Amino acid sequence: MIRWRDPRVPPAAAAAAGAVVFTAALLAGGPALLTGAIAGGLAALIAATSLMIASVRKAGHRPMAMAARWMGGGAVIWAAGVALRPFAEGFVVSFADMFVLLGTVVTAGGALIAADRKLPAGVALRHITDAYLCAASLFLIGWVVALRHVYAESADPAGFTLVMLPPMIALLVTCAVIPSVLTSRASSWLLGLVGVGALATMTVAGLGAAVARLDGGDPQVWSVMLAPVAFLLLAAVPWGPRVKEAGHPAVGHVVALVPLALVAVAAFTLLFRMAGGPHSQPVTGVVVVAVSVVLLLLVRLFVVSALNVRLRGLVKLGRRQLRELAESSGDVVFTCDYEGVVREIGAGVEVTYGYAPDELVGGSIFDYIHPEDVPGIQVAMRAMHLDEENAAPGACLIACRVRAADGTWRPTESVATRQVGGDELMLVTTRDVSDEEALRNQVAHLTFHDGVTGLPNRAYFEERTREVLSGRTSGNVAVIFLDLDGFTSVNDSVGHASGDYLLGQAARRLRGAVRADDTLARWGGDEFAVLVETGGEAQVAVDLAERLVRAVSQEPFRVADRDVALTASVGVAFTEDDMPAGDLMRNADVAMARSKELGGRRVEVFAAQMHADVVRRLELAADLQRALIEQQFAIEYQPVVDLATSRVTAVEALVRWWRGSVFVPPEQFLGPAEDTGLIVPLSEWILRESCREVAAWRASSWDIGLSLNLSARQITAPRFVETVEEALSESGLPASALTLEVIEEMLVEDAEETIKRLSELRALGVRLAIDDFGTGYASLAFLRQLPVDMIKIDPSFVSGLGMDDTLTLLTRTIVRLGHDLGLIVVAEGIERPEQLELLKQMGCTRGQGFLVARPMAARGVDSLMRTSLTV
């Protein structure tokens, strides 16, 4: 259904009106020239209107829009010429004929634009010559059929030429446009094709009018009515369905053959006329056209011959360059028949294999190929020979061993290609791949072996374990994992190169301890693995594990001119029925980790409980991650009081975890949080939250400080100092009100980096304290290196006050040491009144514990504000 606002309505209405007028003109029975002028002019104007509207509507498609404008303009010019023709019949060649010819040329230009092809100069020149051949052939055929009679009846040869010249030019133009349009692949191809149809009908109309003028009568009705029909089709094309890109390779071949076919038809027509009718005086113009066709064919033949010679030269040059390229690449190129007899061989064979070319020509290639490879090559060559009828050149890849002149067998890769159109020969290119083969073997070795120790690597060990377990029929299989205790400090002290040298020494010791049938591999880092087939005796694997421990620790390793003593943590796991290899290796790893947790230099045999502990730790780590996201943690504050006045001077922030309604003690989750690294974001949250609370209490004129415990991971975190500074800035808490506590062990491990970070905090104004003082072994040394403000006596000392004279003496000594160093001394774990009294007598200034005050939520601390705590 077409709506009234549809842009197709005006062209459709105009076409309908044109059809009505056209029908009326035919029914009126007037002269054919006048009828053709009326119908042709009206149809051309309808086409021009439709094409102009389409050019505006399809402005985004440049070839379509430009072609529509040109064709529309050509239709208007042609319509003007056709309309003037009935009034200009007195002239031999009138202005009407010039308008018709110009309209034809412009329309042809539109058809070329619709083809949207950019032709090279050579192709364009060939199209022009083909167009001339086609036009000349058609003229000669038309001369024999009809035009010679018109010429004979005409009294004016010059007038005949002038009258026939415009339609012949139109014919030449049409023939020139057709190849480009028919071979076009543009989406506007259909518009160009209908345009060519209009050109053809315009040319036929022009020829009909010219012949009628020479005869002195009216043209045939059908000749003048073809053009209006073509114009009406041209008007409808832009509004039809959109066509896809056209064109097919076969069309180009047919178009190329058409000029030669027309020349052949014209030649046979002339010969038939000369042989079958009376001879007449030759016409100069016809002779000139025929001779020009012959000359043009000769020129084209000469060009084709020259091009053929040039192509032959290029082929020879390409073959020579190909041979030189093959020789320079190190490949051996030769030809042989299907029986393997060498016909020709390149000089590269002497460089590659040591044979002179003349020595091999005439011999069989099978004399130099390894006997085991000969049958397969013969089968491949026989298959190529049997498939010789195939038009495509066959080829096959051959890998074999070739004997060189020195007697060594060289691995080679060859490509054999069947030569088509010549003798029954094959062209073979052979390459020596000895270096590639050696490289592949080396890569395979490196893929499954460790470059530092020379032992098999983890990938090989895993594959070997799966292989042994899958083929096991009886007896136990055990996996032993071994870790070198303290190896990390070796890399840190003497460097990774010396560490690798130590690993090589350890590998040699372990290789000497295992049996010949055992598989020893480097698992990774400082870990080794052994696959043991025990033969049903589990003690064999345990004894081997003990030997491995002794092999590592029996004497120090000599590295970088120093002796390094190491021990080993060893885990053993035994296979069970249908146990996957991955589970067996995992169990050995868990047992080794258990051995390391217990201090090392021992052998641990895997038990199911070990795996359960590992799973629980993993589950706890996952719950910790979830708790941090869901904010399941809370902070409690334990007051620190002045023992003389019972005034609260500070609070220590303690984290609490409620997993749903279940309270999880800190000792159960702080360790896993430290191991997994979750302690860092958790500690940052505690720092920011507690700083905000204490800053709010200080804003109420309460001079109170904050103490926080630091973890080892927190101190070594990349932005640790910046995080503390940001928390103080966001909360408004003075740096002097914040005290950060570290335990003595943290000062010993990675001492240089730890002291550097703590010194940066000290520079900010933050106070530092040593927690659990007296339980370590490096306290006094680090008190000298790191300026601290406070020491906190470990609860294990305070618990023995009044009950253990030694602990009482040690506590008194620590208090006196703190006073002598000008430090604040805080006693932890005060739970009995006699402990409090003794601490006061010793001069301890501050304390905390259940007797003084229990940990409480923030609202509990609010109740202590501006009050003194009585004991």
Side-chain angles (χ1 to χ4, degrees):
M1 179 177 180
I2 300 178
R3 301 180 183 274
W4 287 109
R5 293 186 179 182
D6 195 308
R8 292 174 291 180
V9 170
V20 171
V21 174
F22 175 58
T23 303
L26 287 178
L27 295 176
L33 188 64
L34 180 61
T35 302
I38 296 173
L42 182 59
L45 291 177
I46 292 173
T49 304
S50 175
L51 291 171
M52 290 302 176
I53 295 174
S55 69
V56 176
R57 299 283 297 181
K58 300 181 183 295
H61 192 291
R62 182 174 175 81
M64 177 75 79
M66 290 294 296
R69 293 192 190 102
W70 276 68
M71 289 186 184
V76 171
I77 297 173
W78 186 87
V82 170
L84 291 174
R85 181 173 285 166
F87 308 101
E89 286 301 311
F91 301 96
V92 176
V93 178
S94 63
F95 286 106
D97 295 322
M98 295 298 100
F99 273 99
V100 170
L101 180 60
L102 180 60
T104 304
V105 172
V106 174
T107 304
L112 284 176
I113 295 174
D116 194 19
R117 293 191 63 193
K118 296 181 179 179
L119 300 176
V123 176
L125 182 60
R126 189 179 75 245
H127 282 187
I128 293 174
T129 57
D130 286 345
Y132 179 80
L133 290 175
C134 291
S137 299
L138 291 174
F139 171 77
L140 292 175
I141 295 171
W143 174 265
V144 173
V145 174
L147 293 180
R148 62 189 178 90
H149 302 294
V150 177
Y151 178 78
E153 296 175 0
S154 174
D156 185 7
F160 176 87
T161 303
L162 290 175
V163 170
M164 294 300 298
L165 186 60
M168 294 309 298
I169 295 176
L171 177 63
L172 180 63
V173 171
T174 302
C175 292
V177 171
I178 288 175
S180 296
V181 174
L182 292 182
T183 57
S184 171
R185 296 178 180 270
S187 58
S188 53
W189 168 80
L190 183 59
L191 178 62
L193 182 63
V194 177
V196 167
L199 280 174
T201 58
M202 293 159 68
T203 303
V204 170
L207 284 171
V211 172
R213 184 181 304 173
L214 292 172
D215 284 342
D218 282 339
Q220 297 292 326
V221 175
W222 64 268
S223 65
V224 298
M225 292 305 169
L226 290 176
V229 174
F231 275 118
L232 291 179
L233 289 176
L234 188 61
V237 167
W239 311 102
R242 185 174 180 179
V243 296
K244 297 182 179 179
E245 293 186 0
H248 192 277
V251 176
H253 300 306
V254 174
V255 169
L257 293 176
V258 167
L260 299 179
L262 288 177
V263 169
V265 172
F268 280 113
T269 303
L270 288 174
L271 289 175
F272 180 79
R273 169 72 185 92
M274 294 173 62
H279 296 285
S280 59
Q281 188 70 22
V283 179
T284 303
V286 176
V287 174
V288 169
V289 171
V291 171
S292 66
V293 170
V294 174
L295 291 177
L296 186 57
L297 288 175
L298 290 175
V299 170
R300 291 192 59 174
L301 180 61
F302 175 77
V303 172
V304 170
S305 300
L307 182 61
N308 188 29
V309 172
R310 180 172 177 271
L311 291 177
R312 288 179 179 272
L314 290 176
V315 170
K316 291 181 180 179
L317 177 62
R319 288 179 176 177
R320 185 174 71 254
Q321 290 177 341
L322 180 61
R323 181 179 294 275
E324 293 175 354
L325 178 62
E327 296 290 347
S328 63
S329 67
D331 295 346
V332 178
V333 181
F334 66 93
T335 57
C336 67
D337 59 21
Y338 290 99
E339 299 299 325
V341 178
V342 178
R343 300 293 183 87
E344 184 182 2
I345 192 167
V349 69
E350 187 168 5
V351 177
T352 305
Y353 295 104
Y355 297 110
D358 295 339
E359 181 182 350
L360 301 178
V361 174
S364 174
I365 61 174
F366 299 119
D367 295 338
Y368 304 92
I369 296 176
H370 196 282
E372 295 178 358
D373 300 332
V374 169
I377 297 175
Q378 289 176 334
V379 170
M381 294 174 63
R382 192 177 303 114
M384 290 183 64
H385 184 48
L386 293 176
D387 194 37
E388 191 174 9
E389 296 180 357
N390 190 352
C396 68
L397 301 177
I398 300 173
C400 62
R401 290 160 289 179
V402 174
R403 188 181 72 248
D406 58 3
T408 60
W409 291 102
R410 309 275 188 86
T412 63
E413 291 180 354
S414 303
V415 178
T417 305
R418 184 180 62 246
Q419 291 187 328
V420 178
D423 297 333
E424 294 185 354
L425 298 177
M426 292 188 304
L427 176 65
V428 183
T429 303
T430 299
R431 170 173 296 181
D432 183 2
V433 293
S434 300
D435 294 339
E436 290 86 341
E437 186 73 17
L439 181 60
R440 279 196 293 267
N441 293 335
Q442 183 180 2
V443 170
H445 178 81
L446 293 177
T447 302
F448 294 104
H449 286 77
D450 175 52
V452 175
T453 63
L455 296 175
N457 59 12
R458 176 174 178 171
Y460 178 87
F461 187 85
E462 290 176 340
E463 183 64 27
R464 176 60 181 164
T465 303
R466 284 192 290 266
E467 179 183 339
V468 170
L469 291 184
S470 63
R472 180 172 61 95
T473 57
S474 62
N476 283 333
V477 175
V479 169
I480 301 173
F481 268 38
L482 180 145
D483 180 85
L484 299 178
D485 301 326
F487 178 76
T488 303
S489 61
V490 175
N491 281 335
D492 295 340
S493 59
V494 297
H496 288 275
S498 297
D500 290 344
Y501 179 68
L502 187 149
L503 288 174
Q505 295 183 57
R508 286 191 291 273
R509 291 189 188 184
L510 297 175
R511 192 184 292 114
V514 301
R515 303 175 305 175
D517 295 337
D518 299 333
T519 302
L520 172 65
R522 184 186 177 194
W523 186 256
D526 59 342
E527 296 181 7
F528 297 85
V530 185
L531 179 64
V532 184
E533 297 184 56
T534 65
E537 298 181 10
Q539 190 61 36
V540 172
V542 177
D543 292 342
L544 175 57
E546 296 287 355
R547 289 201 306 273
L548 295 176
V549 173
R550 290 194 298 271
V552 172
S553 58
Q554 64 185 0
E555 60 178 314
F557 294 90
R558 188 68 178 173
V559 181
D561 297 329
R562 68 178 70 179
D563 290 334
V564 178
L566 294 180
T567 59
S569 299
V570 179
V572 182
F574 294 95
T575 186
E576 299 176 2
D577 292 338
D578 299 326
M579 173 180 284
D583 290 353
L584 178 60
M585 290 181 283
R586 179 205 64 198
N587 293 345
D589 194 12
V590 170
M592 182 191 70
R594 178 63 175 168
S595 174
K596 204 168 189 67
E597 289 176 1
L598 296 176
R601 197 174 182 178
R602 59 188 295 144
V603 175
E604 285 290 327
V605 179
F606 175 79
Q609 184 60 35
M610 295 181 184
H611 182 247
D613 292 341
V614 172
V615 172
R616 275 197 299 271
R617 285 198 296 269
L618 291 175
E619 291 176 348
L620 182 61
D623 290 343
L624 278 171
Q625 180 79 40
R626 192 179 306 109
L628 195 60
I629 296 174
E630 297 176 358
Q631 298 182 351
Q632 297 177 6
F633 294 100
I635 300 177
E636 290 187 350
Y637 300 91
Q638 184 172 23
V640 178
V641 301
D642 188 320
L643 298 182
T645 63
S646 296
R647 184 177 62 85
V648 177
T649 61
V651 289
E652 181 179 357
L654 305 172
V655 65
R656 298 290 183 258
W657 181 18
W658 290 90
R659 185 160 49 179
S661 59
V662 179
F663 174 74
V664 183
E667 59 270 14
Q668 291 187 12
F669 70 84
L670 288 180
E674 181 79 15
D675 295 338
T676 58
L678 291 174
I679 194 68
V680 175
L682 177 59
S683 298
E684 289 182 4
W685 175 79
I686 297 171
L687 173 65
R688 296 179 187 276
E689 192 69 17
S690 57
C691 284
R692 183 183 59 81
E693 290 282 3
V694 174
W697 293 329
R698 290 179 64 88
S700 301
S701 302
W702 188 17
D703 187 13
I704 186 173
L706 171 65
S707 292
L708 283 174
N709 289 291
L710 294 179
S711 69
R713 278 187 180 264
Q714 188 180 9
I715 294 176
T716 57
R719 297 188 69 256
F720 168 59
V721 178
E722 290 84 350
T723 301
V724 175
E725 189 174 8
E726 290 172 1
L728 293 173
S729 175
E730 292 171 1
S731 63
L733 183 70
S736 58
L738 176 62
T739 302
L740 298 178
E741 305 175 5
V742 295
I743 59 175
E744 297 175 22
E745 286 78 3
M746 291 167 54
L747 297 175
V748 178
E749 298 176 2
D750 199 7
E752 184 178 349
E753 183 65 22
T754 301
I755 292 176
K756 176 185 175 183
R757 294 290 183 91
L758 294 178
S759 298
E760 292 176 1
L761 290 174
R762 196 72 171 77
L764 292 177
V766 175
R767 301 202 293 179
L768 302 177
I770 297 180
D771 197 13
D772 300 337
F773 188 84
T775 58
Y777 53 87
S779 303
L780 296 178
F782 283 100
L783 283 176
R784 181 171 55 85
Q785 297 182 38
L786 180 66
V788 299
D789 303 277
M790 181 186 301
I791 57 176
K792 302 185 75 171
I793 303 174
D794 189 73
S796 61
F797 292 99
V798 177
S799 63
L801 291 179
M803 300 171 59
D804 188 321
D805 294 339
T806 302
L807 291 177
T808 302
L809 177 60
L810 289 173
T811 303
R812 190 183 305 276
T813 302
I814 294 174
V815 173
R816 185 179 298 114
L817 175 65
H819 288 168
D820 293 342
L821 294 175
L823 304 176
I824 299 173
V825 181
V826 180
E828 295 184 290
I830 304 175
E831 298 180 353
R832 302 193 309 274
E834 61 269 23
Q835 295 172 344
L836 180 59
E837 292 300 326
L838 284 172
L839 288 170
K840 289 181 179 180
Q841 293 174 12
M842 294 176 185
C844 183
T845 55
R846 297 183 185 178
Q848 62 184 108
F850 286 175
L851 180 65
V852 178
R854 291 179 174 271
M856 60 189 71
R859 59 179 177 271
V861 180
D862 291 338
S863 65
L864 297 177
M865 192 181 301
R866 298 185 185 87
T867 64
S868 296
L869 186 64
T870 58
V871 181

